[in-house]
Amino acid sequence: QSVLTQPPSASGTPGQRVTISCSGSSSNIGSNTVNWYQQLPGTAPKLLIYSNYQRPSGVPDRFSGSKSGTSASLAISGLQAEDEADYYCAAWDDSLNAYVFGIGTKVTVL
Amino acid sequence: EVQLVESGGGLVQPGGSLRLSCAVFGFTFSSHAMSWVRQAPGKGLEWVSGTTGSGGTTYYADSVKGRFTISRDNSKNTLYLQMNSLRAEDTAVYYCAKALLWSELDYWGQGTLVTVSS
């Protein structure tokens, strides 16, 4: 159980748009920026989105992030087979003085 | 090229100790905060500990507070995690990660497996 709530799974067909939600509270998402990580099977996590909506160099613009209040979301447009992975949201929590991850959302490309 | 290489994992008995190391290359180590993140088999990511570039400030997850100690040697470009009083639930792949500013973990190592079992 995590302080950040994500759906355990999401799916879509190639070319579709998939959105993953991340719900927190005033002590984490409400007062700090949100980061998103992609973890392909058997590999280390990769930073996908930082500071709510910024993309690191090399991340396709099919991936976008947003934040409103105590919630954030990750959108994948034009879903591709290679996007099949686990996606985690994360944020610093001022009450816990700790970095917290969501439980992760497994995205399946149908 | 930025690289992070963890070492020191292995099999340890409950109550035992282990020290993980993370050697870094390709960036100014002392200028960046660093974190340890772990992943139990088949489970999600769990942040374990973080430290500022100087090492002067450290933070820990409640699950490891008082048992684990993060440190760094900026002269050796190496991050450490001293793990004491290990429990079965500490079994996981441990990753070290570089922070862009503080919590944006933009580079990760390949991970080192720690197994706590008798």
Side-chain angles (χ1 to χ4, degrees), chain A residues 27-103:
Chain A
S27 64
N28 42 66
I29 293 178
S31 51
N32 294 293
T33 58
V34 177
N35 307 308
W36 291 89
Y37 300 89
Q38 177 193 58
Q39 187 175 32
L40 299 169
T43 69
K46 167 190 169 182
L47 181 64
L48 198 64
I49 297 287
Y50 68 97
S51 297
N52 304 328
Y53 61 87
Q54 303 279 6
R55 278 189 309 275
S57 173
V59 173
D61 59 7
R62 303 185 291 106
F63 295 93
S64 62
S66 64
K67 174 185 140 174
S68 178
T70 59
S71 293
S73 64
L74 173 73
I76 310 173
S77 303
L79 192 66
Q80 298 182 5
E82 65 206 49
D83 300 332
E84 196 160 274
D86 293 320
Y87 293 83
Y88 297 87
C89 61
W92 185 260
D93 190 295
D94 292 334
S95 295
L96 298 174
N97 256 345
Y99 194 47
V100 291
F101 285 94
I103 63 167

Side-chain angles (χ1 to χ4, degrees), chain B residues 28-111:
Chain B
T28 305
F29 183 55
S30 60
S31 296
H32 291 272
M34 299 289 294
S35 277
W36 287 97
V37 177
R38 68 184 180 183
Q39 187 168 35
K43 303 296 185 183
L45 302 174
E46 180 189 16
W47 178 83
V48 172
S49 181
T51 179
T52 53
S54 67
T57 303
T58 57
Y59 297 93
Y60 298 92
D62 284 344
S63 58
V64 306
K65 206 170 290 184
R67 300 187 299 124
F68 289 12
T69 302
I70 190 172
S71 63
R72 62 194 296 161
D73 186 333
N74 287 346
S75 68
K76 295 183 178 179
N77 286 354
T78 303
L79 178 73
Y80 302 100
L81 185 68
Q82 177 66 43
M83 304 185 295
N84 299 330
S85 303
L86 283 161
R87 306 166 180 166
E89 53 265 36
D90 295 318
T91 294
V93 173
Y94 285 73
Y95 297 100
C96 66
K98 165 190 170 291
L100 188 59
L101 292 174
W102 169 242
S103 64
E104 316 80 358
L105 304 178
D106 61 345
Y107 285 93
W108 297 62
Q110 83 288 351

